[in-house]
Amino acid sequence: AVLLLDVGPLGPDYLPAHGHADTLGFEMSLHGQRVIVDSGVSRYDDCPARLFERGTKAHNTVAVDGQDSSEVWGSFRVARRARPFGLEIAEEKGTIRVECRHDGYRRLPGKVTHCRSWNLGKNSLRIEDRLEGKFDSARHGLLLSPTVAEASKGNIGSQSEIRRGEWTLPDGTSVVWELEPGQGRYEEAEYHPEFGVSQKSVRLVGDFRKDRNIFEMNWS
């Protein structure tokens, strides 16, 4: 398994161009196959599609009260931005643990801090999100690689609200996932592997029931 974790700053303060509200997002590959992917961008013109592609809901992280973690606007502008802090990396008994926080939602009335931890084992990944502060709603999302979505057609979209499910990788590997607490749902989505290129895929999204959410994957 290979994970790419976004635990760094959005970018230099003096260079707001191309910044995305994707703090604490990640990508994942398994056995050389992409499983969870970053959405990428398809365009640079100032339009709703460009704004969405730069926003938090387009990335594999958590949106609080319908807001972006960093304020993106125009085609290449960023206002108040999330600052990651408290990065911890540890390895023990074959498990790698990474934890980080960001303050992007502290500008909201509830002054929320988002804390995320990844725990990667030999055959498992456990992601825990905690929201410290007050909020009305929060949503997490994971964009699947189109190849995984295509190979898992029989398991995707068959239920509106689900707590657990299974993905099939192109090589036949089975990935079983589970949400705790709450349930998730699949939404139509787009993946942009290159500028100007859009591929249909699906995003697994879920709403926080309390201030904590756990997503776990297991594979053989």
Side-chain angles (χ1 to χ4, degrees), residues 129-133 135 181 208-213:
D129 289 300
R130 301 193 306 275
L131 299 177
E132 302 165 356
F135 60 94
F208 277 64
R209 301 301 169 89
K210 296 183 180 179
D211 59 358
R212 185 174 70 111
N213 187 81

Side-chain angles (χ1 to χ4, degrees), residues 34-35 37 143-151 191 193 199-202:
R34 293 194 174 196
V35 181
V37 294
L143 178 62
L144 298 188
S145 164
T147 56
V148 175
E150 178 68 23
Y191 169 53
Q199 298 178 2
K200 292 184 178 180
S201 190
V202 295

Side-chain angles (χ1 to χ4, degrees), residues 118-129:
W118 296 265
N119 290 270
L120 178 63
K122 182 178 179 180
N123 297 302
S124 66
L125 173 65
R126 184 178 188 270
I127 303 169
E128 180 175 350
D129 289 300

Side-chain angles (χ1 to χ4, degrees), residues 72-131:
V72 293
W73 59 283
S75 294
F76 299 99
R77 297 301 182 191
V78 183
R80 291 174 289 184
R81 60 199 65 197
R83 308 281 182 177
F85 66 97
L87 176 63
E88 298 179 4
I89 304 173
E91 184 172 0
E92 183 178 359
K93 297 181 179 180
T95 298
I96 300 173
R97 178 178 177 273
V98 180
E99 180 173 297
C100 192
R101 293 170 163 78
H102 79 76
D103 63 359
Y105 297 120
R106 291 191 63 81
R107 71 178 192 273
L108 303 180
K111 299 188 178 301
V112 172
T113 296
H114 176 202
C115 176
R116 167 169 279 187
S117 65
W118 296 265
N119 290 270
L120 178 63
K122 182 178 179 180
N123 297 302
S124 66
L125 173 65
R126 184 178 188 270
I127 303 169
E128 180 175 350
D129 289 300
R130 301 193 306 275
L131 299 177

Side-chain angles (χ1 to χ4, degrees), residues 17-92:
H18 299 285
H20 288 202
D22 57 355
T23 306
L24 302 190
F26 74 102
E27 295 187 74
M28 178 185 179
S29 295
L30 189 58
H31 303 316
Q33 303 157 103
R34 293 194 174 196
V35 181
I36 298 170
V37 294
D38 183 83
S39 59
V41 293
S42 65
R43 56 203 305 159
Y44 284 158
D45 53 314
D46 189 1
C47 64
R50 167 74 173 163
L51 195 61
F52 178 81
E53 290 173 7
R54 297 180 70 206
T56 301
K57 288 183 179 180
H59 297 87
N60 303 316
T61 185
V62 176
V64 174
D65 287 339
Q67 301 295 309
D68 293 325
S69 56
S70 294
E71 292 179 310
V72 293
W73 59 283
S75 294
F76 299 99
R77 297 301 182 191
V78 183
R80 291 174 289 184
R81 60 199 65 197
R83 308 281 182 177
F85 66 97
L87 176 63
E88 298 179 4
I89 304 173
E91 184 172 0
E92 183 178 359

Side-chain angles (χ1 to χ4, degrees), residues 7 42 55 133 207:
V7 293
S42 65
D207 300 315

